[in-house]
Amino acid sequence: MWLSWPSCSAPSSRSRSSGPGNTAVAETIKVEDPKPVVVSKPAVAAEAGDGTDEATAVAVEEDKDEEAQPKDEEVQPKTEHAVDATVRPAKAAVAVDASKPVCYETSRRSDTCEAAGDVRLVGRTQTIYVDTLEREWKTRPYCRKHDTYALSHVKEWSLKPFPSGDGAAPKCTSNSSATAFVISTGGFTGNPFHDYTDVLIPAFITAHRFAGEVQFLVSSYKSWWMSRYIQIFQQMSRYEVVDIDADDEVRCYPSAVVGPTFHKELGVDPSKAPSGVSVADFRKMLRSAFGLERATATPSGDRWDIRRRPRLLIISRRTSRGRAFMNERAMADMAGSLGFDVRIGDPDTTSDTSKFARLVNSCDVMVGVHGAGLTNMVFLPAGAVLVQVVPYGRLEWLARNTFAEPSAGMEVHYLEYVVQLDETTLSEQYPSDHLVLKDPMAIHKQGWDALKTTYLDKQNVRPHLGRLKKTFLQALKMLPHGRDD
């Protein structure tokens, strides 16, 4: 899959452990908890997996008293600057708050380090020397700091004082007036949900205030991943993206930020963001990055234009992956009879992000079974409708945390269709008195692996067309399209 869930490690000093912390990985889902913490162990691979069956299903309440970020400005398109190694680093364009520690918690799932002065960065050793530091700090620049499995794929970075003695600090071979911004594409990236929740949205939150005067230095760099999202990085920065782990330069800057800031799943909290920037601003940036025409789900003014008909997109999945529609063609025919212009798309069959983004943006309703493909909602125009089909197995909490709650910030209407026992292929796999069918919560109590295997990997669905028709009609009423008989 080309398109898709966040974290960073706690800072440490010489007197503290430099590891990612000893927070235990949750092994079971607490039934009494409306927002249970569930951690899986996905493989990080070029072929992206599924956001919900390969990821942490969690919605964490963030602290209300986090400090506001500096005022930011509109991000400009990328225009590369020539580097003159004979020029000393310029004064930091954005001041670093000296009242804060160098590394501090920006949310319960992310830490950020900021330093200004004579900053010298050695990528191959993941070390940053800063003349103003009095002690060493360590961090892992990825927004899932309590997930030890994710952090095992994220390299640790050190911020150190200059070595003692004249000439002990590494000599600059490259100088820039931009702010250095170190992030990692380790962890769970390659999965669309994680791509946006763990990296892209947190990077936007953090970089926005620099108005393009920031250079992304990417650790655990994946060329295939970066090519997928390079247009987004070019919207956030005027400078080339650097594969910093493979870099032989001693890069010098007036300031550096290590680790992005996480707010919430697929979202931005304007009260915590610089100048009140929101997920709507992020979506505006996506439209610019991928050349998306529609900001809102409004019909064409020409009554004979096919765009007078609202377009509905069915997110398709292969049956071998689980959670596929077994009656996809019948669903499309039914939706067409209601007046929808129907499209069927499988994000897994293309790595062309722009192409699929344009398809989603052309649609007014998107329907899919709970999974990473629903992350494509980021491309829907405002006022569109997302219909999440929730698999059988008491998974409403998972659906809510991952896609229902983020939809409001994206100005997308949300509808939910919960699969019943007679609509799931599980009823064909198990006897009628089996716990899987009779008592899903008993399976939940066995832990995330049991839940995932049973209700996400092995289940396909066949929505009842009569029930689904009511949901599609409800979606139709939410749209501004007029229908001429």
Side-chain angles (χ1 to χ4, degrees), residues 142 152 198 267 316 349 399 420:
Y142 184 77
S152 69
D198 295 6
S316 184
T349 62
Q420 303 301 313

Side-chain angles (χ1 to χ4, degrees), residues 89 95 109 116 133 140 142 150 176 190 218 230 280 290 308 310 328 332 379 388 401 415 436 454 466 468 479 483:
R109 293 171 70 173
L133 294 189
R140 295 178 189 264
Y142 184 77
S176 175
V218 181
I230 188 61
F290 297 119
R308 291 297 300 181
E328 191 173 86
F379 303 123
Q388 179 172 201
N401 292 349
L415 293 174
V436 166
T454 304
L468 188 62
L479 299 175
R483 295 183 60 199

Side-chain angles (χ1 to χ4, degrees), residues 163-185:
S164 59
D166 293 338
K171 297 185 182 302
C172 299
T173 61
S174 170
N175 286 279
S176 175
S177 60
T179 293
F181 184 8
V182 178
I183 63 171
S184 175
T185 53

Side-chain angles (χ1 to χ4, degrees), residues 61-124:
E61 292 295 330
E62 299 299 330
D63 295 332
K64 305 297 183 182
D65 57 352
E66 292 180 15
E67 296 184 39
Q69 299 294 328
K71 183 176 181 179
D72 58 333
E73 299 177 26
E74 186 69 22
V75 175
Q76 301 296 320
K78 171 190 172 186
T79 55
E80 294 186 31
H81 290 185
V83 174
D84 183 353
T86 65
V87 179
R88 298 299 305 160
K91 183 179 180 181
V94 178
V96 172
D97 188 346
S99 66
K100 293 180 181 178
V102 171
C103 296
Y104 58 98
E105 186 177 75
T106 48
S107 78
R108 294 180 185 178
R109 293 171 70 173
S110 62
D111 294 324
T112 300
C113 303
E114 298 189 25
D118 186 348
V119 177
R120 306 188 185 188
L121 191 146
V122 183
R124 284 196 178 274

Side-chain angles (χ1 to χ4, degrees), residues 8-12 18 103 110-113 126 137-142 154-159 258-259:
C8 298
S9 74
S12 59
S18 61
C103 296
S110 62
D111 294 324
T112 300
C113 303
Q126 291 81 49
W137 300 79
K138 294 179 182 291
T139 191
R140 295 178 189 264
Y142 184 77
V154 177
K155 292 184 178 181
E156 184 177 75
W157 280 74
S158 299
L159 293 87
V258 185

